[in-house]
Amino acid sequence: MSSQHSSVEEQAKHHKHEGPKKHIIGFIMSILLTIIAFSMVAAGEINTTFIYIFLVLMACVQVFIQMGFWMHMKDRGHLYPIIGILMGVFVVFTIVIMAEYWAWW
Amino acid sequence: MSAHSHVDGQLPHEPEKATLEGRNKVLGFWLFLGAETVLFGTLFSAFLALRHQVGDGNPSGQELFELSTTAWATFILLTSSLTSVFAIQSMHTNKVKSMIVWLIITILLGLGFLGLEIVEFANYVDEGHKFSTSAFSTSFYTLVGFHGAHVLFGILWIGILIAQIFKKGLNVTTAPKIYVAGIYWHFIDVVWVFIFTVVYLMGKVG
């Protein structure tokens, strides 16, 4: 039993399993970005266009962090997942642009 | 079922990628997420186009939304994403018990998020913000409600997976399911990041 346990640990070391550290850093970064975004809105009296751009930027940064850290996208062998999700994002981008700048013109 | 049997019931590291079936499951799920992205994108675009169409005397987002509720919901969902990633890490180090514990915590946080959302919606209805009140209310409930439905589905899904783990244990067949459910849960969180930004924060700004 003990020998099995040590071999598992050895293999684990060999495979370089990530500890929770990176995920906790990602979590703290996400929380910080969220707090910044919320406090910007709570503070009020800031130029509307600026705050819109700022908020979307904050969201995009947070999504990159979450996808990289938590959805394992920065790990090896994720080329096809990245292509798949990027195709989705591309379509979304065109749809949203259409709705925002076209529908009411 | 497994491609190569493991001595003493040991699992390979990254058991979700040990078989071709497992790898295909993960890849297929990413393509599904690409389609989900488009689905939510259409709902977002509808909301963006209609969010100012409140009509006469109906409550606007600026009047309705309370930042503290949204902040709590965000915090709960972010934390549940962290606990689900801990579950996957426990799976990678073959600690089945701690994996199940983390999955249960994830489910509980998801239920907390849903509870907050239900109370929030009930309050809105009391304030005269019903599904068919205005173009704004319809697109709001469709977008946020669809996300809530995804959370509910995730809770049921992970709950069933836990039951299956109890029954069949962690092996190269069940591991990809857990991994894929983890990715799904993160995706829900990613969608929520855009919801609290576009719907609530931008709605509060005006």
Side-chain angles (χ1 to χ4, degrees), chain A residues 11 18-19 52 66 92 95 104, chain B residues 13 37 49 51 78 89 189 206:
Chain A
Q11 280 181 348
E18 291 179 344
Y52 278 3
Q66 292 197 9
V92 167
I95 294 171
W104 296 108
Chain B
H13 303 277
T37 309
R51 69 194 192 103
L78 267 177
Q89 284 200 316
D189 191 35

Side-chain angles (χ1 to χ4, degrees), chain B residues 70-188:
Chain B
T70 313
W72 274 111
T74 307
F75 182 69
I76 290 172
L77 208 60
L78 267 177
T79 312
S80 80
S81 231
L82 183 70
T83 57
S84 76
V85 94
F86 284 162
I88 300 297
Q89 284 200 316
S90 299
M91 182 183 87
H92 280 162
T93 46
N94 209 358
K95 292 172 189 145
V96 181
K97 267 185 195 164
S98 84
M99 180 188 85
I100 289 172
V101 170
W102 283 121
L103 286 178
I104 289 172
I105 295 172
T106 306
I107 285 183
L108 291 177
L109 289 167
L111 283 172
F113 174 87
L114 264 188
L116 266 184
E117 188 153 278
I118 290 167
V119 171
E120 182 196 333
F121 281 11
N123 286 338
Y124 291 162
V125 171
D126 283 345
E127 290 172 55
H129 180 67
K130 294 178 181 134
F131 187 78
S132 54
T133 303
S134 60
F136 160 66
S137 79
T138 307
S139 58
F140 167 82
Y141 281 123
T142 310
L143 172 58
V144 183
F146 229 90
H147 176 267
H150 274 76
V151 175
L152 179 64
F153 181 79
I155 289 169
L156 295 175
W157 183 11
I158 295 173
I160 292 167
L161 280 181
I162 291 171
Q164 200 179 35
I165 293 292
F166 273 121
K167 208 176 165 192
K168 298 186 175 175
L170 184 66
N171 54 46
V172 285
T173 313
T174 48
K177 300 182 185 183
I178 302 281
Y179 183 81
V180 154
I183 292 178
Y184 175 82
W185 197 260
H186 295 311
F187 179 75
I188 291 174

Side-chain angles (χ1 to χ4, degrees), chain A residues 5-79:
Chain A
H5 187 69
S6 71
S7 82
V8 168
E9 260 175 16
E10 229 167 71
Q11 280 181 348
K13 230 180 251 172
H14 181 68
H15 272 268
K16 275 188 191 165
H17 275 293
E18 291 179 344
K21 205 176 157 191
K22 275 183 183 168
H23 295 300
I24 290 169
I25 291 171
F27 177 71
I28 291 169
M29 280 163 83
S30 295
I31 291 283
L32 280 179
L33 287 167
T34 307
I35 289 173
I36 292 170
F38 271 84
S39 49
M40 280 284 280
V41 174
E45 288 169 39
I46 304 167
N47 181 290
T48 312
T49 317
F50 170 73
I51 207 165
Y52 278 3
I53 295 168
F54 184 82
L55 288 174
V56 171
L57 212 70
M58 284 280 141
C60 289
V61 171
Q62 183 166 165
V63 163
F64 270 113
I65 289 171
Q66 292 197 9
M67 286 191 143
F69 281 83
W70 287 347
M71 292 170 92
H72 320 278
M73 267 177 102
K74 62 177 174 45
D75 296 2
R76 71 196 150 74
H78 272 72
L79 179 64

Side-chain angles (χ1 to χ4, degrees), chain A residues 77-90:
Chain A
H78 272 72
L79 179 64
Y80 287 115
I82 288 170
I83 291 171
I85 206 88
L86 275 183
M87 284 185 336
V89 170
F90 174 74

